Amino acid sequence: MPVLFLTDIFVFLLVGLLLAYGFYAARREHLRAPWRRVGRSRVGVVSLVVLSFYGAIGLLDTVHFHPRLETQAGGGEGGISSEVLSLLDLWLAPLRERQEKTYSAPFATHLHARETIRLPDGSTRRDYPRLAHGGAHLADPETERGRDILLISLKGLARGLVLWVLAVAMLALLLARRRGRGLGPTLRDLAAGRAQVPWRAGLVTLGLILALGAITAELAERVKPLTLKVAIHDGDIPVSNVETLTFDSASTDMNQWQKSLSLTLEGRPFASKQVCQLILRDAETGVEEARYDVTIDLAFGNDF
């Protein structure tokens, strides 16, 4: 469902005025001539490319809506969320959803602050715990991080170059059709900079933006679902079955991230209102992620 804020209205009015001025100036030579000089300068074309990206991002953040919830388990419609998102929020959903406890350095794999970590053997120590998302796919960050960053960056660079080649091909086809020339001569003119409009400077700028943007996007998406083993413990001994939960929802609604499970206690005696612990451990590393006290108050006595 669309949502319209007052700031959105102002932005749309500004875009409308700019378009109206563009149509007005295009019909009058004294207004068209200064913009023609801008379009024939390298600084002007480079600035136009950069400002176009800023404008596109601003417009994406201006279109707001209520997202639809995921379909419920019974098959009914999920309804509409009360949360308001923009198209930019939807595009950058991984960055918005994958929050960490503290700030950390770029490409870090551990939190910035020390915490008490409970190890698989039950002992504890003060250390910098692993990030929940950053570098979570690495088994040994100390030895794998540099190579992983390089490979991911090269993959992003390849995607950016593919997008740039497509943009160059589309521009060359348009210019070739307008001038009535072949595609080959048009591409050679673009590469040599033989044109009134400095297309080469604009294309180089476009290539840099696409390459850096694709690398950043590829690095930001490197995350894997979190898998936990959950059980009730009496000290270090589990007194229930162990269930495995995987948190892998791609929904933008936090309500859709919830998981439910059922734990069955062992057939053993328990003291009246005995306090045990619900422990969540990382399924791969065995490191304790969280624990909560639970009180076992059986409805029937152990005499039965």
Side-chain angles (χ1 to χ4, degrees):
M1 178 180 294
V3 177
L4 197 61
F5 293 132
L6 185 60
T7 53
D8 300 340
I9 296 176
F10 288 148
V11 171
F12 293 144
L13 286 176
L14 178 60
V15 172
L17 290 174
L18 290 175
L19 292 176
Y21 172 77
F23 284 114
Y24 180 80
R27 298 175 180 272
R28 289 160 176 80
E29 179 60 28
H30 68 285
L31 295 176
R32 197 167 59 223
W35 291 107
R36 187 183 299 114
R37 290 195 296 270
V38 171
R40 291 177 179 176
S41 68
R42 284 180 293 182
V43 174
V45 172
V46 170
S47 300
L48 178 62
V49 173
V50 175
L51 291 176
S52 296
F53 273 87
Y54 274 103
I57 292 174
L59 289 177
L60 288 176
D61 201 30
T62 304
V63 181
H64 293 91
F65 60 94
H66 288 290
R68 287 190 173 275
L69 301 177
E70 293 182 351
T71 304
Q72 299 176 353
E77 294 185 1
I80 298 176
S81 172
S82 59
E83 186 180 17
V84 178
L85 299 177
S86 68
L87 291 179
L88 184 63
D89 293 327
L90 197 63
W91 182 29
L92 302 178
L95 298 179
R96 181 175 55 86
E97 297 170 358
R98 298 161 187 169
Q99 299 294 320
E100 303 288 353
K101 293 182 180 179
T102 66
Y103 291 103
S104 56
F107 305 117
T109 57
H110 292 75
L111 287 179
H112 182 66
R114 290 179 184 268
E115 291 186 358
T116 300
I117 302 176
R118 186 174 294 273
L119 302 177
D121 60 2
S123 61
T124 61
R125 76 163 184 257
R126 295 282 296 177
D127 203 349
Y128 300 100
R130 289 285 300 271
L131 296 176
H133 304 292
H137 59 289
L138 301 178
D140 185 5
E142 295 298 327
T143 60
E144 299 177 3
R145 182 176 60 176
R147 179 176 178 272
D148 185 66
I149 293 174
L150 176 60
L151 293 178
I152 295 172
S153 300
L154 290 176
K155 182 179 179 181
L157 178 61
R159 290 188 175 185
L161 290 178
V162 169
L163 294 175
W164 181 74
V165 169
L166 291 176
V168 172
M170 292 178 61
L171 176 62
L173 287 173
L174 290 175
L175 293 177
R177 178 174 297 183
R178 177 182 298 180
R179 299 172 181 176
R181 301 183 62 188
L183 182 60
T186 302
L187 287 173
R188 287 192 291 271
D189 288 344
L190 289 176
R194 292 191 296 266
Q196 290 184 335
V197 178
W199 295 112
R200 184 173 62 178
L203 290 174
V204 170
T205 305
L206 177 63
L208 290 174
I209 293 176
L210 290 176
L212 294 176
I215 291 173
T216 303
E218 196 68 31
L219 289 170
E221 292 180 357
R222 290 299 295 179
V223 68
K224 69 175 182 178
L226 176 63
T227 303
L228 299 175
K229 288 189 177 295
V230 185
I232 298 176
H233 288 69
D234 181 10
D236 295 328
I237 303 174
V239 294
S240 73
N241 61 310
V242 179
E243 291 287 340
T244 301
L245 293 179
T246 300
F247 295 87
D248 56 356
S249 175
S251 173
T252 57
D253 185 2
M254 294 182 64
N255 294 324
Q256 302 297 321
W257 302 354
Q258 299 177 3
K259 294 286 185 178
S260 62
L261 78 160
S262 177
L263 298 176
T264 303
L265 293 173
E266 293 181 350
R268 48 162 286 188
F270 290 95
S272 177
K273 295 185 178 180
Q274 179 175 341
V275 177
C276 294
Q277 293 76 39
L278 178 68
I279 299 179
L280 291 72
R281 296 184 185 277
D282 189 292
E284 292 188 3
T285 63
V287 174
E288 181 178 315
E289 297 289 343
R291 69 164 50 204
Y292 306 93
D293 289 338
V294 294
T295 301
I296 299 178
D297 190 6
L298 299 179
F300 297 95
N302 293 319
D303 295 338
F304 295 93

